């Protein structure tokens, strides 16, 4: 599967391990092989990556913007943390999402959300050790279900139900 425009987002926090893996020579080579032309990295409060771009990719790096809607809408693949905002915004836009679990978080509520969205068939989930293998595979996003459309109240109700907070 080809991904011409890949957007990686870590939200407003730090997730340097994800950025480091995606900007590794191995990952960049795979992305180039998958016809990636543009790689956009939203690094939040993390360190600015030192990128050796030997593959001619157009790479953009930024910390935080008022809105990442354009990046999401233009992406053919989104790789991100399991923050509720990232997940909902990406799924509402009908985008394919690979969620990478930040294993360094204590009491990881993001893991609960990612597990539920994965179990429901809306996203793919990876751990640090899986990212290169997943990128290098012919993983099939056609198997993912479209996220239900609706208003904000319905999304909140849906998330509450998924998380077991149904009232």
């Amino acid at each position: 599967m080809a991904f011409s425009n890949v957007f990686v987002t870590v939200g407003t926090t730090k997730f340097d391990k994800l950025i480091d893996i995606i900007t590794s020579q191995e990952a960049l080579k795979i992305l180039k092989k998958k016809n990636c032309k543009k790689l956009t990295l939203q690094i939040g409060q993390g360190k600015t990556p030192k990128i050796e771009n030997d593959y001619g990719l157009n790479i953009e790096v930024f910390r935080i913007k008022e809105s990442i809607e354009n990046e999401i809408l233009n992406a053919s693949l989104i790789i991100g943390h399991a923050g509720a905002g990232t997940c909902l915004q990406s799924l509402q836009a009908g985008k394919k999402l690979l969620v990478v679990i930040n294993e360094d978080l204590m009491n990881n509520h993001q893991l609960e959300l990612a597990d539920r969205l994965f179990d429901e068939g809306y996203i793919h989930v990876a751990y640090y050790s899986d990212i290169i293998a997943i990128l290098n595979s012919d993983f099939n996003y056609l198997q993912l279900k479209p996220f239900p459309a609706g208003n904000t109240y319905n999304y909140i109700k849906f998330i509450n139900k998924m998380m077991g907070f149904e009232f």
Side-chain angles (χ1 to χ4, degrees):
M1 179 167 271
F3 302 112
S4 61
N5 187 350
V6 177
F7 177 48
V8 180
T9 178
V10 303
T12 58
T13 61
K14 289 172 53 170
F15 197 177
D16 291 337
K17 286 183 180 179
L18 173 57
I19 298 299
D20 289 344
I21 290 170
I22 294 297
T23 58
S24 70
Q25 287 298 299
E26 189 174 10
L28 294 176
K29 182 178 180 179
I30 293 167
L31 290 173
K32 179 66 175 182
K33 185 174 79 175
K34 300 275 184 175
N35 296 317
C36 180
K37 307 284 186 246
K38 183 173 184 185
L39 174 62
T40 305
L41 306 167
Q42 184 268 318
I43 63 170
Q45 300 301 315
K47 66 179 171 89
T48 302
K50 293 178 176 71
I51 305 169
E52 293 182 34
N53 182 8
D54 297 333
Y55 302 99
L57 298 175
N58 176 4
I59 300 177
E60 176 186 341
V61 179
F62 67 92
R63 290 197 177 280
I64 297 172
K65 290 183 177 180
E66 190 171 307
S67 171
I68 58 172
E69 182 178 3
N70 285 335
E71 286 77 12
I72 288 173
L73 292 175
N74 291 320
S76 50
L77 172 65
I78 299 170
I79 301 171
H81 70 133
T86 295
C87 291
L88 286 177
Q89 198 171 5
S90 299
L91 292 171
Q92 286 173 351
K95 297 300 176 171
K96 304 306 179 189
L97 179 60
L98 173 62
V99 169
V100 180
I101 303 302
N102 188 344
E103 299 170 67
D104 295 333
L105 293 178
M106 299 294 287
N107 300 318
N108 195 346
H109 67 280
Q110 291 184 0
L111 178 59
E112 295 174 32
L113 176 60
D115 283 345
R116 289 302 299 259
L117 289 171
F118 175 78
D119 289 345
E120 295 289 327
Y122 299 116
I123 65 171
H124 284 289
V125 175
Y127 290 90
Y128 306 133
S129 58
D130 302 329
I131 296 171
I132 295 297
I134 289 172
L135 288 177
N136 204 28
S137 72
D138 290 326
F139 59 106
N140 188 351
Y141 278 102
L142 298 176
Q143 296 172 357
L144 294 178
K145 295 188 321 191
F147 195 69
N151 62 33
T152 304
Y153 172 77
N154 286 339
Y155 286 119
I156 292 168
K157 185 177 173 184
F158 177 78
I159 293 298
N160 281 339
K161 179 181 175 187
M162 286 182 53
M163 297 304 295
F165 305 131
E166 191 170 23
F167 301 100

